[in-house]
Amino acid sequence: MATKVMFVNAIIPHAEVQNRWPNLGLGYLASSLRAAFGQKQFEIRIVDSNIEKELDSFKPDIVGITSVSQNYNYAKMHARAAKKRGIPVIIGGVHISALPQTMTSDMDYAVLGEGEHTIVELMDQIIAPIGRGRKDFSYINGIAYRNGDGTLHMTPPRPLIEPLDSIPLPARDLLNVRKQSNLFSSRGCPYRCTFCSSSRYWDKVRFFSAEYVVNETREMVERYGVERINFYDDLMIADKKRLERLVDLLKMEPTLSRVKYWMNARANLVTDDTARLLKEMGVVSIGMGLESGNERTLKYLKGGSVSVEDNYNAVKILHKYGIAANASFVIGSPDETADEIMDTYRFISKSGLDFADTFVLFPLPGTPIWDEAVQRGLVSENMDWNRLNVYFLKQKQPILMSNRVSLKDMQSLYRKFKRQRLYIAAKKAWFHPYFKEMVRAGASTVAHKVRRLSWSA
């Protein structure tokens, strides 16, 4: 009989942005288990809502949960629900990899860092027959677990997977794949922005080959009918030669050349030549973390690797090739003044961006910003993780990193940026490549809320 495994994506179920994309990380774990054990050893289900109902209907033998720090309260709640039913719990993801000591008594094992190889070895031990001998988890690199006396034991870190092409394609048959979907073509980023947890989690940048990416794109288009693909990488364009090879391969397949793409980029890497390649590829929209319109703040956030002039030039170059330029910004750095924050407001107004979103800086575990917040007593390992929330104005106890701007003034400034965001969206939306997607996202949110009302009735 197959072992039932339920993977849980710990998200806020009613938050549309968290429901927008399938969790490919869990898809990779599922495909890795299938590749190692065959199709019949495990019956796998991936869920992100109605967790207790899924536990009771599916009746899994093992539950695996992935979570970012912002949603860790949900992860703890799901682990508690599984443990009440006597089900072993594995926790993984960015949060627990940064803070393994926050494992609760409801969590049996933690996968730290990249999980495809780790999950195979861990499952092999968990499902091993008792007669095979005493189960030993100490030899499995990259995990944490509690000994019999309750003390936390961490094994040595696991080496990163090389090459990435050895990882099987994610099991999209277990995911909700829409016409607009996502794809990872690399892992990691060569830069180290002070607030970014992703670059610390992946440790270094690695790339799937252009051939691998084309094969995955082909599967998405031919098997799932995907028409628009979001490269979910931190920095997909970091390897210029691979990008050139990818463009050449995609142009050789007419079916794939009709797909529209969007991705993230970095202002200092957006050159005329790169933008031309992206246009040939079918890229219609690019998101950039421009972060600030003030030179001093930008240096603090991004370490001097990019300038405000680079930010302006990137927008100009993308528009030259008819590619929509979207950007995110961060205000509220510790030593940033109100006038320096307004430099960012003025930059957005003058830049011609097609979409701009601004957030108040908050600390994520594993980053220099987190370390500073710990030293100042703003956060701790026992905190309410819901406080790590991008929705600054909705927070009852927002975390304010700024030493120069009061909470009241920061809230006022943030409202000003939100009004600016709405103005740009209203002005540009009808011409934006993904206006239809915005409408569909809104409809999806309404439909989900209606379903939630019916469940609670």
Side-chain angles (χ1 to χ4, degrees):
M1 182 180 293
T3 301
K4 290 186 174 183
V5 177
M6 189 169 94
F7 285 128
V8 179
N9 182 24
I11 62 172
I12 302 173
H14 57 273
E16 186 279 325
V17 68
Q18 296 193 28
N19 284 276
R20 190 176 299 168
W21 309 108
N23 188 298
L24 296 183
L26 295 179
Y28 284 117
L29 296 185
S31 62
S32 295
L33 289 175
R34 288 171 171 176
F37 294 94
Q39 295 288 326
K40 296 181 179 180
Q41 177 64 60
F42 294 101
E43 181 182 350
I44 303 172
R45 182 175 294 186
I46 298 176
V47 300
D48 55 21
S49 61
N50 299 313
I51 306 305
E52 295 208 36
K53 287 186 178 181
E54 294 283 358
L55 287 170
D56 291 333
S57 63
F58 185 53
K59 300 185 185 305
D61 300 298
I62 302 165
V63 167
I65 304 170
T66 186
S67 177
V68 295
S69 296
Q70 302 93 303
N71 295 338
Y72 195 57
N73 282 2
Y74 286 89
K76 292 195 293 183
M77 179 176 64
H78 301 329
R80 192 179 311 119
K83 189 55 62 178
K84 283 181 179 179
R85 292 161 172 81
I87 307 170
V89 174
I90 304 169
I91 182 72
V94 177
H95 173 84
I96 205 66
S97 296
L99 298 175
Q101 61 272 28
T102 61
M103 278 182 70
T104 70
S105 59
D106 298 314
M107 301 168 182
D108 298 285
Y109 317 98
V111 172
L112 309 180
E114 201 165 44
E116 286 85 359
H117 290 175
T118 309
I119 196 68
V120 169
E121 294 183 12
L122 185 56
M123 285 293 189
D124 183 57
Q125 279 296 307
I126 292 174
I127 68 175
I130 299 297
R132 201 172 80 177
R134 183 176 178 274
K135 295 186 179 183
D136 180 15
F137 297 94
S138 63
Y139 82 93
I140 303 175
N141 289 339
I143 67 169
Y145 60 94
R146 297 201 180 276
N147 292 320
D149 60 359
T151 58
L152 185 68
H153 179 74
M154 293 174 55
T155 63
R158 178 176 292 273
L160 294 174
I161 298 173
E162 298 278 7
L164 283 184
D165 281 17
S166 64
I167 302 173
L169 296 181
R172 285 188 170 85
D173 59 295
L174 300 175
L175 301 168
N176 179 25
V177 181
R178 304 170 183 172
K179 296 292 185 183
Q180 174 180 313
S181 198
N182 54 332
L183 178 157
F184 277 111
S185 80
S186 65
R187 293 181 176 181
C189 178
Y191 298 93
R192 290 291 186 272
C193 297
T194 59
F195 55 87
C196 179
S197 61
S198 176
S199 59
R200 276 80 184 178
Y201 176 76
W202 294 117
D203 190 44
K204 71 174 185 177
V205 63
R206 289 161 296 149
F207 299 90
F208 290 98
S209 69
E211 288 76 11
Y212 184 104
V213 176
V214 169
N215 287 337
E216 185 168 358
T217 303
R218 187 184 302 110
E219 182 196 62
M220 293 173 70
V221 172
E222 295 180 354
R223 185 173 178 183
Y224 298 100
V226 174
E227 298 173 354
R228 297 168 293 280
I229 294 176
N230 176 18
F231 282 92
Y232 221 50
D233 311 26
D234 288 317
L235 193 53
M236 185 268 188
I237 67 172
D239 187 333
K240 180 75 174 299
K241 290 184 177 179
R242 187 192 70 139
L243 177 61
E244 292 172 346
R245 174 67 175 161
L246 179 60
V247 173
D248 288 340
L249 291 174
L250 289 173
K251 286 195 297 187
M252 293 169 60
E253 302 196 32
T255 302
L256 304 188
S257 66
R258 292 195 292 268
V259 176
K260 299 302 180 185
Y261 303 93
W262 71 108
M263 63 184 63
N264 297 320
R266 211 171 193 273
N268 58 305
L269 299 183
V270 177
T271 63
D272 202 271
D273 189 43
T274 298
R276 177 186 55 77
L277 280 170
L278 296 176
K279 183 66 175 180
E280 288 181 26
M281 179 179 165
V283 175
V284 295
S285 182
I286 284 184
M288 299 175 287
L290 299 187
E291 314 313 353
S292 182
N294 175 269
E295 207 70 61
R296 190 171 76 96
T297 302
L298 190 61
K299 184 176 182 179
Y300 170 79
L301 293 170
K302 309 199 80 163
S305 60
V306 64
S307 67
V308 173
E309 184 179 1
D310 290 331
N311 290 348
Y312 274 117
N313 287 338
V315 177
K316 183 179 178 180
I317 290 171
L318 292 177
H319 283 170
K320 175 182 175 181
Y321 287 91
I323 299 173
N326 316 308
S328 60
F329 298 86
V330 176
I331 62 174
S333 293
D335 198 39
E336 186 179 33
T337 67
D339 191 56
E340 287 173 325
I341 289 174
M342 285 304 297
D343 281 343
T344 296
Y345 184 91
R346 289 183 281 268
F347 173 91
I348 295 171
S349 297
K350 292 190 290 185
S351 66
L353 282 164
D354 298 284
F355 183 80
D357 212 353
T358 304
F359 305 93
V360 177
L361 180 66
F362 68 95
L364 289 173
T367 68
I369 297 294
W370 173 265
D371 293 339
E372 179 173 343
V374 170
Q375 292 173 5
R376 291 167 54 184
L378 299 175
V379 296
S380 74
E381 294 171 3
N382 300 314
M383 67 180 290
D384 176 4
W385 298 103
N386 287 338
R387 293 182 64 203
L388 298 181
N389 193 315
V390 297
Y391 304 108
F392 183 71
L393 295 176
K394 295 182 180 180
Q395 286 291 317
K396 293 180 180 179
Q397 293 181 297
I399 299 170
L400 187 65
M401 295 298 301
S402 176
N403 293 313
R404 306 290 293 274
V405 181
S406 69
L407 176 60
K408 182 179 179 181
D409 288 344
M410 186 65 72
Q411 290 171 331
S412 177
L413 284 164
Y414 187 61
R415 289 188 184 96
K416 188 176 182 69
F417 278 93
K418 300 312 284 184
R419 290 193 294 270
Q420 182 186 48
R421 175 184 183 272
L422 289 173
Y423 172 76
I424 294 173
K427 182 179 178 182
K428 300 270 191 173
W430 289 102
F431 306 100
H432 199 282
Y434 294 104
F435 175 68
K436 291 181 180 179
E437 272 33 81
M438 297 176 198
V439 174
R440 289 171 181 163
S444 175
T445 301
V446 171
H448 188 79
K449 288 182 177 179
V450 170
R451 288 195 296 272
R452 284 177 58 84
L453 288 173
S454 66
W455 294 329
S456 59

